[in-house]
């Protein structure tokens, strides 16, 4: 029997409705399946990945497990597993690649690290091999290919082979910088060159390291000034407090406020802060009242003061403290990781040291 036009339309409508319903069902099935398989952004994907309250993530590369540890340098960090254990060095997987065997140990510098064994100091290389025997009373890190060491109560300098190149003769000594090192003789500080020759006569109560061609020196009266590499006083002793030059500026204290001067002694940023620190990567940490922020080399605010504490900006991040917790912000002050740790260090060698529940680990973000 021929199908009427009305019946034909009715049949096609029923077919279309069935197909449409089937399509909705399949779409819903696929959507539900995908939703079930997708990770929930409010949950931890794995034991090391954490979703921060601001919606940004950080990952524990090394879970908190050490009672004492330091920043990574050239892929290694000194660490202790328990308060009573020895010091060793871990890699970025958290494994002790240099066994915990030292009473004390320093970070690597110039490819060597000072370590203490049985009350004497020597030096190891990154594979853990002792290359300079432990025979010194105390030892500093290498700088400009030499290191200050103490023998029988006097300080001198050794080269990278452990050979004494400047005979121990000083009451105290600092590292070489720009070819000179500060040394103490009979209670006064001066400077020597790499041959041990006195270049700037000991006359200061204290002396810093050379930077930007100038070194901070403290007169017997306690005032701070700056001398050049020839010992000439470039900026007279007049400041109650001051720091070494960095990036062309030095922090000084004038009338109970902190500002910055140029290498000629001219005021570059007017004293106006309740505390200030040296410039690094174009920014300096400053304090106003009880809050910390950062400024640029012209004294303009990079991050206005809002935190209980910050460190210097490094790798475009800085550690910040709110209340009793530490977190991270970028150099402009935008939050990266909301304060949640008991303690935190800046990013060094790609990882940041943090302390949580009494243990130290390392994160990346």
């Amino acid at each position: 029997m021929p199908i009427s036009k009305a019946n034909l339309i009715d049949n096609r409508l029923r077919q279309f409705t069935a197909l449409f319903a089937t399509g909705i069902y399949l779409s819903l099935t696929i959507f539900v399946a995908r939703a079930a398989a997708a990770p929930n952004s409010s949950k931890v994907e794995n034991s090391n990945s954490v979703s921060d309250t601001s919606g940004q993530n950080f990952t524990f590369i090394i879970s908190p497990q050490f009672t004492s540890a330091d920043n990574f340098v050239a892929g290694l960090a000194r660490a202790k597993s328990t308060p009573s254990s020895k010091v060793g060095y871990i890699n970025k997987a958290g494994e002790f690649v240099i066994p915990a065997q030292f009473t004390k140990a320093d970070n690597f510098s110039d490819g060597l690290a000072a370590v203490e064994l049985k009350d004497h100091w020597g030096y190891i290389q990154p594979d853990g091999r002792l290359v300079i025997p432990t025979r010194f009373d105390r030892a500093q890190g290498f700088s400009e290919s030499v290191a200050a060491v103490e023998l029988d109560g006097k300080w001198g300098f050794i080269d990278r082979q452990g050979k004494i190149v400047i005979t121990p003769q000083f009451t105290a000594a600092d590292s070489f910088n720009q070819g000179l090192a500060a040394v103490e003789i009979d209670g006064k500080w001066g400077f020597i060159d790499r041959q041990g020759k006195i270049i700037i006569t000991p006359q200061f109560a204290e002396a810093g390291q050379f930077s930007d061609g100038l070194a901070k020196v403290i007169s017997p009266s306690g005032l701070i000034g700056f001398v050049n590499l020839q010992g000439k006083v470039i900026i007279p002793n007049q400041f109650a407090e001051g720091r070494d030059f960095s990036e062309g500026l030095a922090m000084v204290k004038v009338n109970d406020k902190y500002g910055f001067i140029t290498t000629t002694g001219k005021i570059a940023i007017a004293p106006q802060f309740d505390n200030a620190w040296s410039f690094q990567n174009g920014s300096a940490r400053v304090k106003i009242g009880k809050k910390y922020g950062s400024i640029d080399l012209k004294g303009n605010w990079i991050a206005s003061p809002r935190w209980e504490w910050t460190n210097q900006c490094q790798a475009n991040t800085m550690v910040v403290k709110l209340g009793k917790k530490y977190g991270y912000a970028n150099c402009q002050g935008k939050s990266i990781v909301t304060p949640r740790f008991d303690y935190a260090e800046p990013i060094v060698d790609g990882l940041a040291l943090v302390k949580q529940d009494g243990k130290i680990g390392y994160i990346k973000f």
Side-chain angles (χ1 to χ4, degrees):
M1 178 184 291
I3 300 174
S4 69
K5 185 176 182 180
N7 287 336
L8 180 63
I9 292 173
D10 186 60
N11 286 339
R12 287 179 176 175
L13 281 173
R14 282 197 296 269
Q15 292 171 356
F16 176 79
T17 300
L19 288 170
F20 183 74
T22 302
I24 291 176
Y25 173 79
L26 289 172
S27 296
L28 285 172
T29 302
I30 293 170
F31 175 79
V32 170
R34 286 179 176 173
N40 187 337
S41 60
S42 66
K43 295 181 180 179
V44 177
E45 284 188 49
N46 56 58
S47 59
N48 291 326
S49 181
V50 180
S51 179
D52 186 60
T53 55
S54 63
Q56 296 162 315
N57 294 327
F58 66 89
T59 301
F60 270 108
I61 303 301
I62 302 173
S63 61
Q65 58 190 283
F66 307 105
T67 58
S68 173
D70 207 341
N71 293 317
F72 276 90
V73 176
L76 296 174
R78 55 182 177 172
K80 292 177 65 174
S81 296
T82 67
S84 60
S85 66
K86 302 288 187 180
V87 182
Y89 293 82
I90 59 172
N91 62 15
K92 290 186 177 180
E95 304 163 333
F96 276 100
V97 290
I98 300 178
Q101 58 188 300
F102 309 111
T103 310
K104 296 177 184 176
D106 288 342
N107 287 329
F108 279 89
S109 61
D110 280 2
L112 296 174
V115 295
E116 185 186 40
L117 282 171
K118 297 180 180 179
D119 298 325
H120 286 86
W121 288 78
Y123 293 83
I124 60 171
Q125 56 188 26
D127 62 5
R129 187 163 62 93
L130 189 69
V131 291
I132 299 177
T134 52
R135 63 189 185 97
F136 305 109
D137 300 329
R138 283 187 289 175
Q140 297 181 15
F142 275 85
S143 176
E144 299 187 2
S145 298
V146 294
V149 295
E150 184 186 27
L151 268 176
D152 300 324
K154 296 294 183 180
W155 286 84
F157 291 83
I158 60 171
D159 64 16
R160 291 174 55 82
Q161 286 70 49
K163 179 184 176 182
I164 292 177
V165 292
I166 299 176
T167 303
Q169 58 190 287
F170 310 110
T171 309
D174 203 349
S175 300
F176 273 89
N177 233 31
Q178 296 191 311
L180 297 182
V183 296
E184 184 184 17
I185 300 176
D186 296 330
K188 294 182 180 181
W189 285 81
F191 292 86
I192 61 171
D193 64 13
R194 287 286 300 275
Q195 286 69 49
K197 180 183 177 182
I198 293 176
I199 302 300
I200 301 174
T201 304
Q203 59 190 288
F204 310 110
E206 291 182 36
Q209 293 184 338
F210 274 93
S211 176
D212 292 342
L214 297 175
K216 178 184 72 175
V217 292
I218 302 178
S219 68
S221 63
L223 294 177
I224 290 172
F226 296 84
V227 298
N228 66 11
L229 290 161
Q230 291 73 44
K232 181 181 178 181
V233 175
I234 301 300
I235 302 171
N237 296 79
Q238 58 187 296
F239 305 109
E241 291 183 36
R243 295 181 185 274
D244 294 333
F245 272 90
S246 178
E247 301 186 12
L249 297 178
M251 179 279 283
V252 293
K253 185 179 182 181
V254 179
N255 296 328
D256 293 326
K257 292 293 182 180
Y258 295 82
F260 293 85
I261 59 171
T262 67
T263 53
T264 62
K266 180 182 177 181
I267 296 290
I269 300 173
Q272 57 193 286
F273 309 109
D274 295 313
N275 210 338
W277 288 261
S278 299
F279 274 92
Q280 188 175 5
N281 300 318
S283 71
R285 175 174 51 140
V286 296
K287 183 181 181 183
I288 290 185
K290 295 183 178 181
K291 300 294 183 181
Y292 290 77
S294 61
I295 58 172
D296 65 19
L297 289 161
K298 293 183 178 180
N300 301 313
W301 287 109
I302 297 175
S304 57
R306 51 176 287 208
W307 296 284
E308 276 81 4
W309 183 87
T310 68
N311 77 321
Q312 295 290 89
C313 184
Q314 293 178 233
N316 198 36
T317 63
M318 57 184 179
V319 180
V320 297
K321 183 183 181 184
L322 283 176
K324 295 183 178 181
K325 296 297 182 180
Y326 294 80
Y328 294 88
N330 66 17
C331 293
Q332 291 71 45
K334 183 179 179 181
S335 178
I336 298 174
V337 176
T338 303
R340 60 189 297 149
F341 303 109
D342 301 326
Y343 179 73
E345 288 273 358
I347 296 175
V348 179
D349 207 10
L351 296 179
L353 178 155
V354 296
K355 189 174 187 178
Q356 184 170 278
D357 299 327
K359 297 288 187 179
I360 293 172
Y362 296 83
I363 65 171
K364 188 174 183 178
F365 49 85

